[in-house]
């Protein structure tokens, strides 16, 4: 794989910067815990890309085993079908072999639910999950039944849980304190503001309430549309044919009477809350459903078993159909996700890396090429408008030797789309040399003399 989009490459770049003494937390000050986790693996495995895939693979194994363990609370048959359906899911297959941290967050959340009755381990995992993906804080109430179960020791148990939770959050808190002067620093509200405002305007804002009232109403309308209009369709794409059994299965799980009834209801409720919260994400992607994928699949497997009852032939026939259709969707879905890798970006970066005699920085439309070139660089979209308009002066000032352009410039930096056209660029700079890497993305590498 050549690295998945900007988030994955940014993840690797920041982990690689730690031993070089140049580490800076993500722009909005969160998810440092995941970066430190990759750094630890990278200390054992020198290649950071291989290290990131190992971390994703380990996360996938923990995620799968945790989900199966949760499903065994209902029946061995439900656990078996849950495991098979997860293994056939393209989201599981792809993100357990990627360079991103989404499955790490999902695995920690799943282990938190498994350890819900262990206040030390469960609360520690909740803190780690928050440091990986802040939105996972919504799963913290899963620990409430364990805190409240002993009336005479509730205060002590709450103190144990709070101490363990704070310990889990330490990697994130210390990073924010060191680099931003505030352990709770976060500007994730900018993702919400970006739903209705261009990135340049959002970057100039200082707080969320700078948005006028009508913008807040627009955000509310977008959120409601996503909740009631988009969520059902997205959920179907996440679990495919088994989605038909997920809703009746969730209702059955809600009404199931046993000693775990309260905990299970909290799990179902916070899962719905999580789905509602992630709909405020600026660029909603199906990978964000990974933390609730176990409950969706378990509900579907349990619902199928309950509906079929003692009719074994009906159960196995339906289960086989769900497995086959999920596997088919998994193959096509994984192939589609792999096509998003854009291998030409890696080829462009490798091309620059193989020319050490041509020293200089890189300007690029995406981080991937900068990462694989193993050189310092800047994104074209991050240049100030005046630097874009005076590109020749910017190139001299920043000692730029390479520019990597692709056809996404039309969306990211409209004023520089001419860099993706050889004829137009040669009209501006006839001495530049162009190397083309064809493919879906069509990448041009410009060597500047």
């Amino acid at each position: 794989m050549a690295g998945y989009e900007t988030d994955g490459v940014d993840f690797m770049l920041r982990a690689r910067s730690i031993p070089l003494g140049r580490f800076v937390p993500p722009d909005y000050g969160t998810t440092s815990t995941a970066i430190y986790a990759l750094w630890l693996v990278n200390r054992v495995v020198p290649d950071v890309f291989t290290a990131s895939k190992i971390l994703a693979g380990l996360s996938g194994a923990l995620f799968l085993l945790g989900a199966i363990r949760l499903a065994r609370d209902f029946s061995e048959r439900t656990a078996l079908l849950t495991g098979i359906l997860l293994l056939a899911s393209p989201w599981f297959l792809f993100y357990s072999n990627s360079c991103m941290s989404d499955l790490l967050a999902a695995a920690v959340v799943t282990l938190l639910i498994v350890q819900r009755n262990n206040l030390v381990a469960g609360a520690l995992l909740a803190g780690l999950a928050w440091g990986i993906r802040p939105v996972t804080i919504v799963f913290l109430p899963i620990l409430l039944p364990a805190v409240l179960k002993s009336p005479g020791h509730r205060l002590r148990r709450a103190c144990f849980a709070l101490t363990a939770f704070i310990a889990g959050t330490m990697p994130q808190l210390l990073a924010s304190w060191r680099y931003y002067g505030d352990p709770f620093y976060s500007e994730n509200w900018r993702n919400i503001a970006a739903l209705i405002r261009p990135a340049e305007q959002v970057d100039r804002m200082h707080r969320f309430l700078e948005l006028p009232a009508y913008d807040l109403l627009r955000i509310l309308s977008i959120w409601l549309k996503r909740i009631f209009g988009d969520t059902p369709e997205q959920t179907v794409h996440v679990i495919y044919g088994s989605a038909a059994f997920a809703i009746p299965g969730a209702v059955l799980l809600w009404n199931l009477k046993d000693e775990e009834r309260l905990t299970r209801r909290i799990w179902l409720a916070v899962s719905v809350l999580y789905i509602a919260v992630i709909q405020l994400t600026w660029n909603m992607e199906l990978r964000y459903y990974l933390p609730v994928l176990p409950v969706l699949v378990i509900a579907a497997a349990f619902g199928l078993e309950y509906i079929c009852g003692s009719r074994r032939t009906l159960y196995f026939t339906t289960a086989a159909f769900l497995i086959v259709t999920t596997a088919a969707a998994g193959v096509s879905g994984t192939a589609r996700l792999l096509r998003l890798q854009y291998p030409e970006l890696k080829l462009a970066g490798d091309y620059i890396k193989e020319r050490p005699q041509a020293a200089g920085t890189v300007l690029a439309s995406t981080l991937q090429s900068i990462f694989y070139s193993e050189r310092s660089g800047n994104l074209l979209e991050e240049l100030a408008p005046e630097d874009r308009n005076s590109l020749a002066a910017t190139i001299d000032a920043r000692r730029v030797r390479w520019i990597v352009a692709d056809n996404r410039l039309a969306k990211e930096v409209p004023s520089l789309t001419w860099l993706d056209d050889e004829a137009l660029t040669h009209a501006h700079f006839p001495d530049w040399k162009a190397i083309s890497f064809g493919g879906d993305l069509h990448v041009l590498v410009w060597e500047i003399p």
Side-chain angles (χ1 to χ4, degrees), residues 261-340:
R261 184 182 187 186
L262 176 59
T263 301
R264 187 170 52 254
R265 285 188 168 187
I266 292 175
W267 181 22
L268 290 168
V270 297
S271 296
V272 172
L273 176 61
Y274 172 85
I275 292 173
V277 173
I278 64 169
Q279 300 300 338
L280 285 171
T281 305
W282 164 62
N283 188 19
M284 179 63 198
E285 298 180 36
L286 295 182
R287 60 190 169 101
Y288 301 145
Y289 280 87
L290 283 170
V292 295
L293 186 57
V295 72
L296 292 172
V297 176
I298 290 171
F302 181 76
L304 174 62
E305 182 174 7
Y306 187 91
I307 291 171
C308 292
S310 60
R311 293 167 290 185
R312 293 172 57 86
T313 301
L314 177 61
Y315 174 82
F316 286 113
T317 301
T318 308
F321 174 77
L322 294 180
I323 293 169
V324 170
T325 54
T326 301
V331 170
S332 62
T334 303
R336 183 182 65 80
L337 287 168
L338 289 173
R339 285 196 296 272
L340 295 175

XYZ file of all heavy atoms in Angstrom, residues 261-340:
633
model
N -28.189 -6.334 31.953
C -29.163 -5.541 31.201
C -28.823 -4.050 31.205
O -28.842 -3.402 30.156
C -30.559 -5.762 31.796
C -31.659 -5.049 31.022
C -33.007 -5.266 31.689
N -34.095 -4.749 30.895
C -35.360 -4.699 31.298
N -35.679 -5.148 32.516
N -36.300 -4.220 30.522
N -28.494 -3.491 32.371
C -28.205 -2.063 32.457
C -26.964 -1.698 31.636
O -26.976 -0.734 30.871
C -28.004 -1.651 33.917
C -27.603 -0.180 34.153
C -28.654 0.759 33.579
C -27.368 0.084 35.633
N -25.914 -2.498 31.801
C -24.679 -2.224 31.047
C -24.924 -2.299 29.547
O -24.439 -1.462 28.777
C -23.582 -3.236 31.447
O -23.346 -3.140 32.843
C -22.298 -2.951 30.695
N -25.683 -3.295 29.119
C -25.956 -3.455 27.686
C -26.773 -2.290 27.155
O -26.533 -1.797 26.043
C -26.671 -4.787 27.454
C -26.841 -5.123 25.976
C -27.323 -6.544 25.775
N -28.507 -6.839 26.570
C -28.510 -7.593 27.662
N -27.393 -8.133 28.112
N -29.626 -7.805 28.326
N -27.725 -1.831 27.925
C -28.521 -0.671 27.485
C -27.653 0.585 27.378
O -27.822 1.387 26.451
C -29.678 -0.445 28.463
C -30.801 -1.447 28.301
C -32.004 -1.066 29.152
N -33.178 -1.861 28.802
C -34.398 -1.659 29.292
N -34.592 -0.700 30.187
N -35.404 -2.409 28.913
N -26.742 0.746 28.325
C -25.836 1.896 28.238
C -24.969 1.780 26.983
O -24.746 2.761 26.277
C -24.957 1.984 29.506
C -25.823 2.332 30.710
C -23.853 3.020 29.331
C -25.070 2.321 32.035
N -24.480 0.571 26.703
C -23.657 0.347 25.505
C -24.434 0.702 24.242
O -23.931 1.409 23.358
C -23.209 -1.116 25.482
C -22.327 -1.471 24.320
C -21.572 -0.617 23.563
C -22.112 -2.771 23.775
N -20.892 -1.308 22.597
C -21.208 -2.635 22.705
C -22.587 -4.031 24.094
C -20.774 -3.730 21.944
C -22.150 -5.119 23.349
C -21.259 -4.973 22.292
N -25.673 0.244 24.155
C -26.490 0.569 22.982
C -26.748 2.076 22.899
O -26.655 2.672 21.817
C -27.814 -0.188 23.051
C -27.741 -1.712 22.854
C -29.057 -2.361 23.235
C -27.372 -2.054 21.418
N -27.029 2.701 24.030
C -27.348 4.131 24.028
C -26.136 4.968 23.636
O -26.245 5.891 22.820
C -27.858 4.548 25.411
N -24.956 4.663 24.207
C -23.779 5.467 23.875
C -23.315 5.204 22.447
O -22.690 6.071 21.821
C -22.629 5.229 24.887
C -23.033 5.668 26.281
C -22.151 3.793 24.876
N -23.615 4.023 21.911
C -23.292 3.752 20.504
C -24.112 4.639 19.586
O -23.606 5.193 18.598
C -23.525 2.275 20.180
O -22.658 1.446 20.921
N -25.395 4.791 19.918
C -26.247 5.707 19.153
C -25.748 7.141 19.306
O -25.685 7.908 18.333
C -27.714 5.585 19.604
C -28.574 6.671 18.952
C -28.265 4.203 19.265
N -25.364 7.498 20.538
C -24.829 8.843 20.777
C -23.557 9.074 19.975
O -23.369 10.143 19.393
C -24.549 9.026 22.271
C -23.894 10.368 22.676
C -24.801 11.544 22.299
C -23.582 10.373 24.169
N -22.693 8.067 19.933
C -21.457 8.184 19.153
C -21.767 8.441 17.680
O -21.165 9.319 17.044
C -20.623 6.913 19.297
C -19.417 6.869 18.381
C -18.226 7.474 18.753
C -19.484 6.245 17.139
C -17.125 7.451 17.917
C -18.399 6.222 16.291
C -17.218 6.824 16.680
O -16.131 6.815 15.829
N -22.703 7.682 17.128
C -23.077 7.879 15.719
C -23.599 9.289 15.505
O -23.286 9.942 14.496
C -24.121 6.828 15.295
C -23.483 5.436 15.260
C -24.710 7.170 13.927
C -24.469 4.317 15.010
N -24.379 9.783 16.464
C -24.915 11.135 16.337
C -23.799 12.177 16.375
O -23.805 13.137 15.596
C -25.916 11.403 17.456
N -22.823 11.971 17.249
C -21.744 12.952 17.388
C -20.857 12.978 16.148
O -20.469 14.054 15.672
C -20.909 12.657 18.648
C -19.681 13.558 18.700
C -21.754 12.875 19.897
N -20.521 11.808 15.601
C -19.606 11.797 14.460
C -20.234 12.399 13.209
O -19.525 12.731 12.268
C -19.074 10.384 14.146
C -20.210 9.438 13.725
C -18.276 9.830 15.301
C -19.710 8.125 13.168
N -21.549 12.569 13.212
C -22.174 13.203 12.058
C -21.831 14.691 11.973
O -22.132 15.333 10.980
C -23.694 13.018 12.101
C -24.157 11.577 12.083
C -23.712 10.830 10.833
O -23.410 11.425 9.810
N -23.661 9.517 10.920
N -21.200 15.221 13.020
C -20.732 16.607 12.975
C -19.330 16.712 12.378
O -18.774 17.804 12.301
C -20.722 17.205 14.385
C -22.092 17.576 14.958
C -21.956 17.938 16.433
C -22.700 18.735 14.188
N -18.758 15.577 11.987
C -17.429 15.588 11.390
C -17.468 16.317 10.056
O -18.385 16.144 9.268
C -16.929 14.145 11.174
O -16.981 13.454 12.417
C -15.514 14.135 10.637
N -16.421 17.117 9.826
C -16.371 17.923 8.599
C -16.503 17.049 7.351
O -17.326 17.288 6.488
C -15.043 18.694 8.568
C -14.711 19.235 7.220
C -15.426 20.152 6.505
C -13.597 18.888 6.404
N -14.817 20.402 5.301
C -13.691 19.640 5.211
C -12.515 18.031 6.563
C -12.743 19.548 4.193
C -11.572 17.935 5.556
C -11.698 18.689 4.390
N -15.682 16.001 7.250
C -15.695 15.138 6.074
C -16.018 13.727 6.537
O -15.141 12.942 6.856
C -14.337 15.186 5.369
C -14.355 14.450 4.040
O -15.412 14.198 3.477
N -13.178 14.094 3.533
N -17.306 13.413 6.595
C -17.760 12.151 7.156
C -17.305 10.978 6.283
O -17.533 10.952 5.082
C -19.286 12.170 7.257
C -19.880 10.903 7.812
S -19.344 10.636 9.511
C -19.714 8.915 9.711
N -16.636 9.998 6.913
C -16.195 8.795 6.219
C -16.654 7.571 6.991
O -16.786 7.607 8.222
C -14.661 8.790 6.091
C -14.119 9.962 5.272
C -12.601 9.916 5.183
O -12.038 8.805 5.098
O -11.979 10.994 5.196
N -16.876 6.470 6.275
C -17.424 5.277 6.901
C -16.463 4.655 7.912
O -16.895 3.902 8.792
C -17.791 4.253 5.827
C -18.917 4.672 4.870
C -19.219 3.554 3.877
C -20.181 5.033 5.634
N -15.165 4.967 7.839
C -14.220 4.414 8.808
C -14.534 4.871 10.226
O -14.134 4.224 11.198
C -12.793 4.800 8.431
C -12.506 6.282 8.366
C -11.130 6.522 7.731
N -10.887 7.917 7.405
C -10.155 8.741 8.128
N -9.602 8.299 9.249
N -9.950 9.982 7.742
N -15.256 5.984 10.358
C -15.581 6.469 11.693
C -16.583 5.572 12.411
O -16.802 5.717 13.617
C -16.135 7.899 11.616
C -15.167 8.880 10.997
C -15.613 9.924 10.199
C -13.796 8.765 11.199
C -14.725 10.823 9.628
C -12.900 9.653 10.633
C -13.371 10.682 9.841
O -12.499 11.558 9.272
N -17.196 4.638 11.693
C -18.136 3.705 12.311
C -17.439 2.526 12.988
O -18.102 1.714 13.649
C -19.112 3.154 11.266
C -20.241 4.089 10.933
C -20.094 5.061 9.947
C -21.460 4.013 11.592
C -21.125 5.932 9.640
C -22.499 4.864 11.287
C -22.324 5.826 10.304
O -23.352 6.685 10.001
N -16.131 2.398 12.840
C -15.435 1.231 13.383
C -15.681 1.002 14.884
O -15.880 -0.153 15.296
C -13.936 1.344 13.098
C -13.522 1.023 11.652
C -12.062 1.405 11.414
C -13.736 -0.447 11.339
N -15.690 2.039 15.745
C -15.933 1.760 17.171
C -17.300 1.153 17.477
O -17.461 0.493 18.509
C -15.788 3.145 17.825
C -14.872 3.890 16.914
C -15.262 3.435 15.535
N -18.294 1.373 16.609
C -19.623 0.787 16.857
C -19.894 -0.399 15.942
O -20.989 -0.973 15.990
C -20.747 1.849 16.690
C -20.626 2.918 17.747
C -20.734 2.463 15.295
N -18.916 -0.782 15.142
C -19.112 -1.940 14.262
C -19.403 -3.220 15.058
O -20.283 -3.994 14.659
C -17.882 -2.109 13.365
C -17.955 -3.185 12.288
C -19.152 -2.958 11.363
C -16.662 -3.227 11.474
N -18.722 -3.482 16.180
C -19.055 -4.702 16.927
C -20.511 -4.765 17.378
O -21.162 -5.803 17.229
C -18.098 -4.646 18.132
C -16.943 -3.859 17.650
C -17.535 -2.811 16.748
N -21.039 -3.678 17.936
C -22.417 -3.729 18.422
C -23.391 -3.879 17.253
O -24.415 -4.566 17.376
C -22.755 -2.487 19.274
C -22.887 -1.235 18.446
C -24.045 -2.725 20.064
N -23.098 -3.285 16.103
C -23.966 -3.431 14.940
C -23.994 -4.879 14.453
O -25.055 -5.444 14.162
C -23.505 -2.502 13.812
C -23.665 -0.998 14.046
C -22.983 -0.210 12.929
C -25.134 -0.620 14.131
N -22.816 -5.497 14.366
C -22.738 -6.872 13.870
C -23.286 -7.858 14.905
O -23.988 -8.815 14.551
C -21.279 -7.213 13.489
C -21.168 -8.679 13.059
C -20.798 -6.307 12.363
N -22.981 -7.631 16.182
C -23.524 -8.511 17.224
C -25.049 -8.442 17.247
O -25.728 -9.470 17.366
C -22.937 -8.132 18.602
C -21.469 -8.514 18.664
C -23.724 -8.805 19.729
C -20.751 -8.000 19.897
N -25.592 -7.232 17.127
C -27.051 -7.092 17.095
C -27.649 -7.847 15.915
O -28.684 -8.519 16.043
C -27.433 -5.616 17.031
N -26.982 -7.759 14.757
C -27.481 -8.470 13.575
C -27.411 -9.979 13.778
O -28.369 -10.703 13.463
C -26.670 -8.057 12.353
N -26.287 -10.477 14.298
C -26.136 -11.915 14.506
C -27.127 -12.433 15.548
O -27.736 -13.500 15.382
C -24.699 -12.219 14.935
N -27.302 -11.666 16.631
C -28.240 -12.068 17.676
C -29.673 -12.002 17.163
O -30.496 -12.887 17.452
C -28.071 -11.172 18.896
C -28.980 -11.528 20.038
C -28.703 -12.630 20.833
C -30.116 -10.780 20.305
C -29.544 -12.966 21.892
C -30.959 -11.111 21.354
C -30.672 -12.210 22.154
N -29.983 -10.952 16.393
C -31.327 -10.828 15.830
C -31.668 -11.972 14.913
O -32.783 -12.513 14.949
N -30.709 -12.394 14.074
C -30.947 -13.521 13.172
C -31.204 -14.802 13.968
O -32.137 -15.557 13.670
C -29.740 -13.707 12.257
C -29.770 -14.945 11.350
C -30.950 -14.871 10.386
C -28.458 -15.094 10.592
N -30.405 -15.029 14.987
C -30.574 -16.242 15.780
C -31.927 -16.252 16.492
O -32.606 -17.286 16.541
C -29.443 -16.355 16.802
C -29.521 -17.617 17.647
C -28.318 -17.781 18.556
O -27.493 -16.850 18.632
O -28.213 -18.846 19.205
N -32.329 -15.126 17.024
C -33.606 -15.055 17.744
C -34.776 -15.240 16.791
O -35.728 -15.970 17.101
C -33.711 -13.715 18.466
C -34.916 -13.615 19.377
C -34.813 -13.992 20.710
C -36.147 -13.169 18.898
C -35.908 -13.907 21.563
C -37.249 -13.089 19.737
C -37.127 -13.458 21.063
O -38.223 -13.380 21.895
N -34.717 -14.586 15.639
C -35.829 -14.664 14.688
C -35.991 -16.079 14.143
O -37.109 -16.590 13.991
C -35.613 -13.655 13.545
C -35.767 -12.222 14.084
C -36.582 -13.910 12.391
C -35.360 -11.149 13.101
N -34.855 -16.738 13.862
C -34.931 -18.093 13.297
C -35.281 -19.139 14.353
O -35.865 -20.182 14.040
C -33.610 -18.456 12.628
S -33.261 -17.490 11.137
N -34.913 -18.857 15.623
C -35.258 -19.788 16.696
C -34.673 -21.168 16.474
O -33.480 -21.329 16.201
N -35.530 -22.170 16.551
C -35.075 -23.566 16.417
C -35.033 -24.034 14.966
O -34.680 -25.181 14.704
C -35.999 -24.487 17.226
O -37.345 -24.379 16.752
N -35.359 -23.163 14.038
C -35.360 -23.549 12.614
C -33.932 -23.471 12.077
O -33.506 -22.488 11.488
C -36.298 -22.638 11.824
C -37.778 -22.825 12.202
C -38.649 -21.726 11.665
N -38.409 -20.463 12.355
C -39.110 -19.345 12.158
N -40.093 -19.342 11.263
N -38.833 -18.250 12.828
N -33.189 -24.534 12.282
C -31.760 -24.555 11.969
C -31.494 -24.354 10.486
O -30.555 -23.641 10.110
C -31.153 -25.881 12.439
C -31.149 -26.046 13.957
C -30.723 -27.462 14.341
N -29.415 -27.806 13.811
C -28.267 -27.528 14.416
N -28.276 -26.895 15.585
N -27.129 -27.903 13.892
N -32.319 -24.976 9.647
C -32.092 -24.840 8.200
C -32.238 -23.388 7.770
O -31.415 -22.863 7.001
C -33.082 -25.717 7.417
O -32.915 -27.078 7.812
C -32.838 -25.583 5.914
N -33.274 -22.719 8.271
C -33.490 -21.311 7.930
C -32.326 -20.457 8.437
O -31.832 -19.578 7.736
C -34.807 -20.827 8.543
C -35.134 -19.335 8.324
C -35.263 -19.024 6.836
C -36.409 -18.961 9.082
N -31.877 -20.764 9.681
C -30.782 -19.973 10.251
C -29.512 -20.121 9.417
O -28.883 -19.127 9.037
C -30.495 -20.410 11.688
C -29.280 -19.732 12.275
C -29.365 -18.454 12.812
C -28.025 -20.358 12.243
C -28.240 -17.813 13.330
C -26.897 -19.725 12.751
C -27.017 -18.456 13.291
O -25.904 -17.821 13.774
N -29.092 -21.347 9.140
C -27.842 -21.566 8.424
C -27.915 -21.068 6.982
O -26.927 -20.570 6.443
C -27.457 -23.052 8.473
C -26.944 -23.486 9.809
C -27.657 -24.378 10.587
C -25.752 -22.978 10.308
C -27.179 -24.766 11.830
C -25.273 -23.361 11.559
C -25.991 -24.257 12.318
N -29.097 -21.183 6.363
C -29.251 -20.668 4.997
C -29.117 -19.146 4.976
O -28.405 -18.578 4.142
C -30.620 -21.070 4.420
O -30.739 -22.499 4.418
C -30.769 -20.550 2.997
N -29.804 -18.500 5.918
C -29.728 -17.035 5.984
C -28.332 -16.567 6.368
O -27.801 -15.608 5.801
C -30.751 -16.489 6.993
O -32.046 -17.011 6.703
C -30.799 -14.967 6.931
N -27.721 -17.245 7.336
C -26.360 -16.884 7.754
C -25.383 -17.033 6.595
O -24.509 -16.172 6.379
C -25.926 -17.743 8.933
N -25.516 -18.124 5.834
C -24.633 -18.326 4.676
C -24.818 -17.215 3.649
O -23.843 -16.710 3.064
C -24.909 -19.689 4.040
N -26.084 -16.822 3.441
C -26.355 -15.729 2.498
C -25.688 -14.434 2.967
O -25.069 -13.717 2.180
C -27.870 -15.529 2.362
C -28.245 -14.331 1.533
C -28.171 -14.377 0.148
C -28.663 -13.157 2.143
C -28.509 -13.264 -0.610
C -29.005 -12.049 1.393
C -28.929 -12.104 0.007
N -25.809 -14.136 4.254
C -25.194 -12.919 4.793
C -23.672 -12.968 4.670
O -23.033 -11.972 4.327
C -25.587 -12.731 6.254
C -27.062 -12.463 6.546
C -27.277 -12.294 8.049
C -27.550 -11.227 5.805
N -23.097 -14.126 4.934
C -21.637 -14.257 4.843
C -21.166 -14.070 3.408
O -20.201 -13.342 3.136
C -21.191 -15.624 5.393
C -21.448 -15.696 6.899
C -19.715 -15.869 5.086
C -21.291 -17.085 7.483
N -21.857 -14.711 2.467
C -21.463 -14.623 1.055
C -21.609 -13.196 0.532
O -20.706 -12.664 -0.132
C -22.289 -15.603 0.198
C -22.054 -15.345 -1.294
C -21.924 -17.037 0.540
N -22.744 -12.565 0.832
C -22.954 -11.199 0.329
C -21.989 -10.215 0.991
O -21.490 -9.286 0.344
C -24.399 -10.746 0.565
O -24.739 -10.899 1.952
C -25.369 -11.555 -0.280
N -21.722 -10.417 2.280
C -20.769 -9.532 2.959
C -19.371 -9.729 2.399
O -18.623 -8.763 2.199
C -20.765 -9.791 4.472
O -22.083 -9.577 4.985
C -19.801 -8.862 5.185
N -18.994 -10.990 2.142
C -17.674 -11.257 1.569
C -17.550 -10.644 0.176
O -16.516 -10.068 -0.172
C -17.431 -12.766 1.515
N -18.625 -10.773 -0.625
C -18.594 -10.186 -1.972
C -18.461 -8.670 -1.893
O -17.667 -8.056 -2.620
C -19.856 -10.572 -2.742
N -19.253 -8.080 -1.002
C -19.149 -6.636 -0.805
C -17.783 -6.274 -0.226
O -17.217 -5.222 -0.544
C -20.262 -6.146 0.126
N -17.249 -7.171 0.604
C -15.940 -6.924 1.186
C -14.843 -6.893 0.156
O -13.952 -6.041 0.197
N -14.902 -7.819 -0.802
C -13.890 -7.852 -1.868
C -13.961 -6.593 -2.711
O -12.955 -5.929 -2.966
C -14.078 -9.110 -2.741
C -13.192 -9.026 -3.982
C -13.754 -10.362 -1.945
N -15.184 -6.246 -3.155
C -15.323 -5.053 -3.996
C -15.033 -3.785 -3.208
O -14.403 -2.847 -3.718
C -16.727 -4.989 -4.598
O -17.707 -4.888 -3.575
N -15.473 -3.756 -1.930
C -15.231 -2.570 -1.117
C -13.762 -2.373 -0.813
O -13.243 -1.252 -0.861
N -13.072 -3.480 -0.518
C -11.640 -3.379 -0.254
C -10.891 -2.955 -1.504
O -9.955 -2.150 -1.438
C -11.102 -4.723 0.266
O -11.830 -5.100 1.435
C -9.623 -4.620 0.598
N -11.299 -3.498 -2.658
C -10.646 -3.096 -3.916
C -10.838 -1.606 -4.172
O -9.913 -0.909 -4.615
C -11.223 -3.907 -5.077
N -12.034 -1.099 -3.867
C -12.281 0.329 -4.059
C -11.425 1.162 -3.121
O -10.856 2.184 -3.496
C -13.765 0.642 -3.825
C -14.140 2.100 -4.076
C -15.602 2.346 -3.768
N -15.902 2.152 -2.373
C -15.658 3.068 -1.424
N -15.127 4.230 -1.744
N -15.973 2.828 -0.177
N -11.322 0.712 -1.869
C -10.494 1.434 -0.906
C -9.022 1.415 -1.321
O -8.310 2.413 -1.201
C -10.646 0.815 0.479
C -11.983 1.083 1.182
C -12.118 0.192 2.405
C -12.107 2.543 1.580
N -8.581 0.270 -1.837
C -7.182 0.184 -2.263
C -6.901 1.109 -3.439
O -5.797 1.627 -3.585
C -6.835 -1.261 -2.629
C -6.742 -2.243 -1.456
C -6.561 -3.664 -1.954
C -5.588 -1.854 -0.542
N -7.914 1.310 -4.282
C -7.712 2.223 -5.415
C -7.497 3.653 -4.938
O -6.943 4.478 -5.663
C -8.917 2.159 -6.369
C -8.947 0.896 -7.226
C -9.898 1.063 -8.394
N -11.269 1.231 -7.976
C -12.128 0.234 -7.756
N -11.722 -1.015 -7.914
N -13.363 0.469 -7.378
N -7.954 3.954 -3.723
C -7.741 5.292 -3.172
C -6.300 5.513 -2.714
O -5.955 6.601 -2.282
C -8.684 5.526 -1.984
C -10.177 5.548 -2.311
C -10.983 5.672 -1.027
C -10.512 6.689 -3.252
